[in-house]
Amino acid sequence: MFKARLADPKILKYSIDAVSNMIDEAGVSVTKDGLRLKAMDPAHVALVDLELKKEAFDEFEVEEPLVLGIDLERLNTILKRAGTDQILIQLDSENNVLKIRFKNSSTRTFDLPLIEVSEEELKVPNLDFPSQIEIPPKILSESIKDAEIVSDHVTLMVDEENLFISAKGDLGNVEVKVPKDEAKSFEVSKSCRSMFSLEYLKDMIKASDIADSVKIYLGDNIPVRMDFTTENARLSFLLAPRIESE
Amino acid sequence: MDFLRLVETCEKVAKNTKKSKKIEILSHFLKTLEESEIPVAVLFITGSIFPEAESKSLDVGWKTIEKVGRDHQKTLLTTPLSILDIGDYFKKISSQRGEGSRKKKENLLQSLISRASPLERKYIFKSIFGEMRIGVSEGTMLEAISKASYLNLDLLRKALMFLGDLGEVARIALVEGKKGLEKINITLFIPIKPMLAEMANSLEEALQEHRKCALEFKYDGARIQIHKKGEKVVIFSRRLTNVTESLPEIVELSKSIKTKEVIAEGEIIAIDKSGRPFPFQYLMKRFKRVHDIERLKKSIPLKLYLFDILFVDGMSLVDETYEKRWKLLEEICPKDLLASRIITKDLKEARAFMGESIKSGHEGLMIKDLDSKYIPGKRGKKWLKVKTSVTLDAVIIAAEWGHGRRKEWLSNYHLAVRDEETGEFMMIGKTFKGLNDKEFQWMTQELLKLKIAESEFIITVKPKIIVEVAFSEIQRSPHYSSGFALRFARITRIREDLSIEDVDTLERVRNLYENQFKYKAKFL
């Protein structure tokens, strides 16, 4: 048995939208503490770790821990239809579907068939990040959108004073400078830089609209970790770098 | 096991030119594999990515590879690639469909390449381009499997013909042994490799080959395999591709076969309003089409001629004689679906029948031994074909840009035959004759998709496009790798219905060369 209710669908909508393009299908584990989705994209470039605590829901009931095999692309298209309606989620284990109900003046019910997912063990590298910067998510998402105008990749760089988000393209360059004072926290043990594909980042920043802050863990030519957090939810990404040529 | 071990084995095999040594290395390697690794490894080493019977492909072009080669995206994983990883990547790449799939394929390939060491990369590219070139043909691999499993080569060969999956045959041989292999038999809805005919030098010679023989029209069409169970019909092409959707009227016709279950073989031809066959190229249009079939059904109607039956109501017929198989076929099929056929050993009668075939717009005759069993995938003398002229099925391995009017086209084609020992393609001549403007255009477009390398005038392509070539004579030649050259070669048709192992062998060229004076005397 599992059922949950969300008066405001936003948090679920945005977080699924941020991951469904990278990860087609995944096992979502449901425990008494909430929902957890941890998966790598098929190309092994990005790792997603989504945690929705039970407190994020208005109602949350589960008898015993279970794993739901979800086609995230399907789920995303369904959630896009939610509008601002309240969402009810219920497992129909007899028919192996997840019932997703949108409630307003009418009640709309979608059946999402559950799928088989192979639970492969994620071999995630252990990383030491020399820099950790926490900024308002809006700054990050705007910079990424700026970079998209000129290139398909972006460089993240920090020194003792600033965070730089820059992109170089055939048609021009862009650089966004975020001074230390604008950051909520700024721990930089040494200046470092890494380059990343915008193809992945542009999906990740979709989480910006629901998060209160984003913490960026950066190093030299190593993956970047980005934690988008609110009080009751955390969406964390690990993204492998591109190696700069020349 | 690490993928690196596999490519190191490939290197070792490539360096040892002696076949027996290759087999020894391979057989030793096979024994060290885990069960689940066997199919992937065996297919990879023999230069195929998916089993033949599965008609799957990666569908990534040269452009994608080039792009991926330039990119520098890393992955999160630091573990070395395993043999199973390779199989997973290939499966995932081929299964991407629909919107955004191109990009996803690219990302997957990118990921694979970025995790590979230089040597692994070299072999991944070789495999994708179908250019393994380590001298391991299907036959060599079968011998290695035989050596590793202590099982009879003929048993392995037969299993392969029924399964169409060398990797799976290896797995069964090494894990389940003889019992497992013996269980493999003809199965409904799994295509089997067709039995093939050898080209006879003359009608006279062909008639003397067998004790009793049947003569059938050799239709200028495409061979198909019909699998039927009740209302369910699946049609496979000669290359074992599922072509059911392109041929709705053949599906309907197949339902008129009386038994509940059947596997039958036949030839389909395209005909005009008066019932005369259209050239082969029109027929190919029907085969490839999945859209607009209703319209094409009207403009290019098809006719079916059945000539063999391999399975009826749960019973395999491959070990029955051709005489018995035909009798059964006659009993259960409407008469107008059967191939034109006579039984004779008389040369005069045979010549008249040959004349009838040519006059009706067909290619010649098939002469079949009535006592013969059906041996899948085998080309032999039990079936012989007689045509009015001798042709070779050659593969294009490179092409040159044309001059003058043909400046925009790749118009001079380098033709090659297959060295049956090593599986490599050996050049045997060039030609720019035989195609019309439209075909030149098509050819240029297709060859560019297969480009592997290029210089100012010549592009080298993945051997894939097969053409039927007519010629006046075969000469010894020091210029070409085959050691032979075709004189006055001319393309007579593009054989989209053939697959790469149907390309004629160097052995056949050698035989033709030795035979040709005999021929010439006959034809001149």
Side-chain angles (χ1 to χ4, degrees), chain B residues 307-324:
Chain B
F307 57 77
D308 213 327
I309 185 165
L310 312 178
F311 183 91
V312 156
D313 293 335
M315 202 173 56
S316 166
L317 302 174
V318 291
D319 290 328
E320 303 291 344
T321 64
Y322 187 48
E323 193 165 22
K324 195 162 171 206

Side-chain angles (χ1 to χ4, degrees), chain A residues 121-135:
Chain A
E121 210 190 316
L122 296 173
K123 285 164 248 156
V124 188
N126 273 328
L127 294 162
D128 275 331
F129 297 100
S131 307
Q132 301 175 16
I133 304 119
E134 195 174 351
I135 56 173

Side-chain angles (χ1 to χ4, degrees), chain A residues 24 40 42-47 123 125 197 199-200 223 238 240-243 245, chain B residues 71-79 89 92 96 99 103-104 107-108 111-112 115:
Chain A
D24 303 334
M40 219 182 254
H44 309 298
V45 171
L47 175 85
K123 285 164 248 156
S197 161
E199 188 194 336
Y200 287 86
L238 193 64
R242 289 171 57 103
I243 297 306
S245 40
Chain B
D71 211 338
H72 304 279
Q73 176 67 55
K74 302 256 284 178
T75 69
L76 291 172
L77 300 182
T78 44
T79 46
Y89 271 109
K92 277 187 197 157
Q96 298 300 327
E99 204 192 332
K103 187 71 208 161
K104 281 183 184 161
N107 288 349
L108 284 163
S111 161
L112 172 61
R115 287 177 67 190

Side-chain angles (χ1 to χ4, degrees), chain B residues 264-276:
Chain B
E265 268 202 297
E267 188 92 4
I268 52 175
I269 59 168
I271 47 169
D272 68 4
K273 284 194 190 80
S274 64
R276 291 188 62 85

Side-chain angles (χ1 to χ4, degrees), chain A residues 160-228:
Chain A
E160 270 114 58
E161 298 303 319
N162 299 290
L163 164 69
F164 296 96
I165 300 167
S166 61
K168 284 192 173 132
D170 296 338
L171 301 173
N173 305 333
V174 57
E175 185 191 78
V176 178
K177 182 167 110 177
V178 188
K180 194 174 174 177
D181 304 341
E182 292 297 316
K184 294 186 179 173
S185 71
F186 197 91
E187 296 163 40
V188 174
S189 59
K190 72 174 181 83
S191 51
C192 44
R193 61 184 282 157
S194 295
M195 189 165 85
F196 302 97
S197 161
L198 284 168
E199 188 194 336
Y200 287 86
L201 282 170
K202 73 181 181 204
D203 282 321
M204 297 175 178
I205 55 163
K206 287 177 186 165
S208 300
D209 292 347
I210 42 159
D212 304 325
S213 84
V214 58
K215 193 161 185 181
I216 302 168
Y217 300 73
L218 192 67
D220 263 324
N221 289 325
I222 61 167
V224 65
R225 181 173 151 187
M226 292 185 178
D227 286 0
F228 293 87

